[in-house]
Amino acid sequence: MLDGNYRLAAAIFIGIFCGFLLVKSDLAWRKTCLNMFLLKDGRLLKTLLFSLGFGVALIYLLQHLELITVHVRPGYFWASLIGGTISGLGLAFCFRVPITSIAALGAGRLYAFWSIIGMFLAIYFVDVISSMLSSSIYSWSKPINAPQQADAFLSASNPALWVVLLSLIALVFLHFAFNDEAEE
Amino acid sequence: MKALTGKWSFYLNGGLLSVMIALCLYLFQDTVGMNDGMIKISEYAEQTAEQVSDNEDIELPPLQWQTGFLGGIFIGALAASIMSGNWKIRFFQDKESGIISKSLKTVLYGLGGGFLVMLGLQLSGDSFLGQWSGALQLSGGSWIFLVSCFAVASGIAIMMENRGESGGE
């Protein structure tokens, strides 16, 4: 939709909003992410679950109104599974993903800089081994089919409806299971 | 004013996160994420290293929409943390005593963790925000990535907590 400088300006404004949101939602802090993975703090889990439930319904509606189209990078079963496992292993050590590392650095947590250096090293490493990856994990399985949209939202065969319902059920469970405390 | 200085409820945070992703899909016709921005910076660093070794003039970093998004996150986090009084300079991730021990832990956990996180993201083909965007669009690959990532991270964090190694901020 947007091109050139308009695209750049929009990206900067959305980036500022995203950074603001990461701090306000506590996603930028290591301690709150640690507590989420330890299943001690339900606030971040509730934020992510609500985003999932609300977002799936919103995206379905916008696609139905033809305001947006599906934009998903091609996924491979083994690449996604191995990638998720390795990322999970890394998350258990640093509790930061790229956007939260930048946000933590902006909030003065200078130790996040080490994570950013590690991330750049990984990009270089993948660049070096890219030919080996093409002939291994990307060739073990065919690309996963692009998601198909169901005709009616309130249909039992619509996966979006199930995601929304399960997210709501999980939210109600978390509401009663966790005693939320403000962490920083 | 309290909205700018205080914490936001999880309904608001979750809702705004989804609206932001939908807005990006509408405006950019792409999954928004840091992957492309960091790859562009990595390419710039490689190009700059070659220019330095060849004694050529160093060019300015590319200001494209992906790197603009990255810079915006930094500015937004800086502004939000100053407004809410959370802006603090921290050199170490743990508060434990012993400068050598906490320095080593900060560097090793940061470098190693960051390396593994980005390696996994690169293998799966998108950034974390991109994977979240994919999950909202019901992409099978994104769901496999997110479920395996959260399960492994939670399992290892609990295991390390039981051994007393995870530490605090």
Side-chain angles (χ1 to χ4, degrees):
Chain A
M1 284 278 181
L2 292 177
D3 289 313
N5 287 339
Y6 292 111
R7 198 176 175 88
L8 174 64
I12 293 171
F13 278 113
I14 291 174
I16 291 172
F17 175 74
C18 183
F20 211 90
L21 187 61
L22 287 171
V23 169
K24 288 293 171 189
S25 63
D26 288 349
L27 271 165
W29 311 130
R30 182 181 182 276
K31 182 73 177 170
T32 40
C33 289
L34 168 67
N35 284 341
M36 177 182 72
F37 288 123
L38 292 174
L39 306 177
K40 285 181 178 173
D41 181 6
R43 240 157 18 97
L44 275 188
L45 279 175
K46 283 195 269 188
T47 299
L48 295 178
L49 274 171
F50 187 77
S51 167
L52 201 60
F54 176 73
V56 166
L58 179 70
I59 299 275
Y60 178 90
L61 179 73
L62 293 177
Q63 283 177 349
H64 203 70
L65 296 172
E66 295 180 356
L67 287 171
I68 59 171
T69 49
V70 175
H71 289 281
V72 178
R73 304 266 167 98
Y76 298 83
F77 177 80
W78 287 110
S80 296
L81 188 67
I82 295 169
T85 305
I86 294 173
S87 284
L89 188 65
L91 262 181
F93 285 99
C94 70
F95 301 100
R96 277 182 291 274
V97 294
I99 52 167
T100 57
S101 297
I102 298 286
L105 196 64
R109 273 58 171 183
L110 300 182
Y111 54 78
F113 191 66
W114 294 108
S115 304
I116 295 171
I117 292 176
M119 287 169 192
F120 280 124
L121 289 175
I123 292 172
Y124 181 73
F125 179 69
V126 170
D127 196 33
V128 170
I129 61 161
S130 59
S131 58
M132 198 188 83
L133 290 174
S134 306
S135 59
S136 56
I137 61 168
Y138 292 122
S139 62
W140 291 345
S141 56
K142 288 179 182 173
I144 296 169
N145 291 337
Q148 302 290 318
Q149 198 187 30
D151 291 333
F153 186 76
L154 295 173
S155 158
S157 61
N158 182 10
L161 177 67
W162 287 104
V163 172
V164 172
L165 284 176
L166 290 174
S167 301
L168 287 176
I169 292 167
L171 265 176
V172 172
F173 172 76
L174 286 176
H175 182 73
F176 290 106
F178 285 103
N179 180 24
D180 294 341
E181 290 172 12
E183 296 279 358
E184 186 184 311
Chain B
M1 196 61 193
K2 203 187 168 196
L4 292 176
T5 55
K7 283 181 187 293
W8 292 351
S9 81
F10 69 89
Y11 295 110
L12 189 61
N13 293 326
L16 286 175
L17 182 62
S18 299
V19 169
M20 187 189 77
I21 288 171
L23 186 66
C24 290
L25 286 171
Y26 177 70
L27 292 176
F28 305 129
Q29 299 286 303
D30 197 1
T31 53
V32 68
M34 296 266 300
N35 210 23
D36 296 337
M38 290 190 95
I39 287 172
K40 288 200 184 300
I41 291 179
S42 178
E43 285 168 357
Y44 169 73
E46 200 177 330
Q47 178 195 323
T48 306
E50 284 172 11
Q51 286 168 345
V52 169
S53 65
D54 296 343
N55 288 325
E56 291 175 8
D57 291 335
I58 298 169
E59 291 170 16
L60 288 171
L63 189 57
Q64 292 163 344
W65 75 274
Q66 295 97 336
T67 46
F69 180 70
L70 197 146
I73 290 174
F74 183 88
I75 297 166
L78 178 70
S81 55
I82 289 172
M83 279 184 213
S84 50
N86 283 329
W87 195 87
K88 293 169 195 163
I89 289 279
R90 289 270 187 274
F91 291 99
F92 307 106
Q93 65 179 27
D94 290 328
K95 285 178 180 170
E96 65 186 42
S97 58
I99 186 111
I100 296 173
S101 160
K102 63 183 178 186
S103 301
L104 271 176
K105 209 169 172 180
T106 300
V107 174
L108 287 178
Y109 279 26
L111 268 179
F115 180 87
L116 290 172
V117 167
M118 188 52 102
L119 178 63
L121 289 170
Q122 290 277 297
L123 290 180
S124 65
D126 211 340
S127 68
F128 210 86
L129 198 57
Q131 295 287 6
W132 195 258
S133 167
L136 297 188
Q137 297 173 77
L138 303 175
S139 156
S142 297
W143 277 90
I144 294 167
F145 174 87
L146 289 173
V147 169
S148 55
C149 180
F150 274 80
V152 170
S154 191
I156 292 177
I158 290 169
M159 209 169 68
M160 285 169 68
E161 173 79 356
N162 290 339
R163 290 181 58 181
E165 289 179 9
S166 56
E169 189 179 347

